[in-house]
Amino acid sequence: MTVNLGTVDRAARIVLGLALGAAGLGGFVGLIWGAGGILSLASGVSGFCPAYRLFGFRTCGDA
């Protein structure tokens, strides 16, 4: 797993993940929002997005 997310992208995913996680604190629809939040938060913290790799995207510099 190589880092393929830049700083701004990572920060946005962390904020989005926390917001979705907070929005998903109840009910079945909440479970879906919470899962999306966990995935977004995980990719933001790790700096790796599998979809970016699949499509060849990179938002980080030439690391």
Side-chain angles (χ1 to χ4, degrees), residues 10 12 16 20 24 34 36 39 46 48-49 59 61:
R10 290 177 78 172
L16 180 67
L20 286 174
L39 292 174
S46 70
F48 176 75
C49 177
T59 58

Side-chain angles (χ1 to χ4, degrees), residues 2-3 24-25 32 35 39 44 55 60:
T2 57
V3 173
L25 288 177
I32 294 169
L39 292 174
F55 295 110
C60 63

Side-chain angles (χ1 to χ4, degrees), residues 12-38:
R13 286 171 185 259
I14 290 170
V15 169
L16 180 67
L18 292 172
L20 286 174
L25 288 177
F28 178 72
V29 174
L31 178 64
I32 294 169
W33 284 102
I38 290 171

